[in-house]
Amino acid sequence: MDFNQLQTFLRVSEYGSFTRAGEQSFISGTAVMKQINRLEAELNLKLFVRTATGVQLTPQGKKFQPYVQQLLDLLNTAIEETRRVRSDDKQLILLGTSLLHPADAFMSLWKELAPKMPKF
């Protein structure tokens, strides 16, 4: 079981559909279904009832959901609180790209900014 599976579990339970949960995660509905199938197999629990119109939480899924929400909330709080106690004064900038959106725009911007920030 991993962090992504738990996030996916919450999205599926919120949207009632693998496809809609996938759209929110920018992955396919099939990928969402595979994550849920893997989670259910690892836990040896049936978390969702699948129907032609979507999915619904089973009683086990309903019992599991608030614990997953609490766990992910606690993890996010721990990460935020830990970041606040940084002992350095460096500022962090995170940038992301994908195969669909290459980093060309970032690289041209970096070439322009790098001479102005020699210690970076």
Side-chain angles (χ1 to χ4, degrees), residues 6-95:
L6 296 176
Q7 287 179 317
T8 299
F9 166 76
L10 289 179
R11 282 193 191 99
V12 172
S13 64
E14 179 182 351
Y15 292 102
S17 161
F18 293 141
T19 302
R20 281 186 268 158
E23 289 168 356
Q24 295 300 310
S25 304
F26 303 102
I27 59 176
S28 71
T30 303
V32 169
M33 183 176 55
K34 287 181 180 181
Q35 283 187 31
I36 296 301
N37 289 344
R38 203 167 40 248
L39 178 64
E40 289 178 326
E42 288 175 18
L43 297 174
N44 194 27
L45 296 171
K46 185 164 175 70
L47 301 171
F48 293 99
V49 174
R50 285 110 166 123
T51 67
T53 58
V55 297
Q56 293 180 341
L57 287 169
T58 63
Q60 292 175 329
K62 288 178 184 177
K63 185 71 170 180
F64 189 57
Q65 183 185 27
Y67 291 107
V68 171
Q69 185 65 60
Q70 191 175 24
L71 179 66
L72 293 179
D73 288 345
L74 183 59
L75 181 58
N76 286 330
T77 299
I79 292 167
E80 289 172 18
E81 293 294 320
T82 303
R83 285 183 176 151
R84 285 191 190 122
V85 294
R86 291 182 189 201
S87 59
D88 59 20
D89 61 354
K90 295 179 184 175
Q91 293 183 350
L92 181 64
I93 299 172
L94 300 174
L95 301 174

Side-chain angles (χ1 to χ4, degrees), residues 97-106:
T97 65
S98 73
L99 293 174
L100 298 175
H101 302 285
D104 296 341
F106 293 130

